[in-house]
Amino acid sequence: MKIQINTDDNIQGREALAEEVSATVENALRRYQDQITRVEVHLGDENAGKSGQRDQRCMVEARLEGRQPVAATALAPTLPLAVQAAADKLARLLDTQIGRATRIQRTAPSTDA
């Protein structure tokens, strides 16, 4: 699973931040690592440096083999909290979508004759 991290002009893209974000995303999406080809993480500061309650934004998009991309976004007071919240939301979305697809495959009528 390849993880690409993008930041806006208000976020300093330091190596430590990239390592922390990658570790958080990998941990949250671990059970789907064989199905995910790439994850894109977009980090931004909604208020351009001014302090605010929930001004740090994280959008995480997973690209899965043979499926449409799935994305989740979160706002939080800090980037680590925003990354964790978005990664957790994305994991729940994948649970729902992949679980639903698995149930449909199991209940589909057999084409064997």
Side-chain angles (χ1 to χ4, degrees):
M1 170 171 54
K2 179 183 175 188
I3 298 176
Q4 178 181 343
I5 300 170
N6 304 297
T7 61
D8 70 10
D9 293 337
N10 300 309
I11 304 292
Q12 298 299 318
R14 298 179 305 275
E15 191 170 316
L17 174 63
E19 289 175 10
E20 182 179 349
V21 169
S22 291
T24 300
V25 171
E26 284 177 6
N27 187 45
L29 304 178
R30 180 181 306 131
R31 67 181 158 267
Y32 300 111
Q33 67 186 0
D34 293 338
Q35 297 168 17
I36 296 173
T37 57
R38 184 176 65 179
V39 175
E40 288 191 34
V41 180
H42 297 271
L43 304 173
D45 184 343
E46 295 288 297
N47 292 332
K50 300 174 196 164
S51 63
Q53 285 280 3
R54 296 166 31 114
D55 67 336
Q56 303 298 304
R57 177 184 45 81
C58 176
M59 191 277 291
V60 182
E61 177 183 65
R63 300 194 178 255
L64 298 115
E65 288 182 7
R67 297 178 188 261
Q68 292 294 318
V70 179
T73 302
L75 294 170
T78 66
L79 277 175
L81 289 174
V83 171
Q84 185 68 58
D88 290 344
K89 280 183 183 180
L90 183 59
R92 287 190 302 272
L93 281 170
L94 291 172
D95 286 342
T96 300
Q97 287 190 358
I98 292 173
R100 182 180 303 134
T102 302
R103 285 190 302 277
I104 289 170
Q105 286 175 350
R106 275 191 252 140
T107 60
S110 177
T111 57
D112 296 336

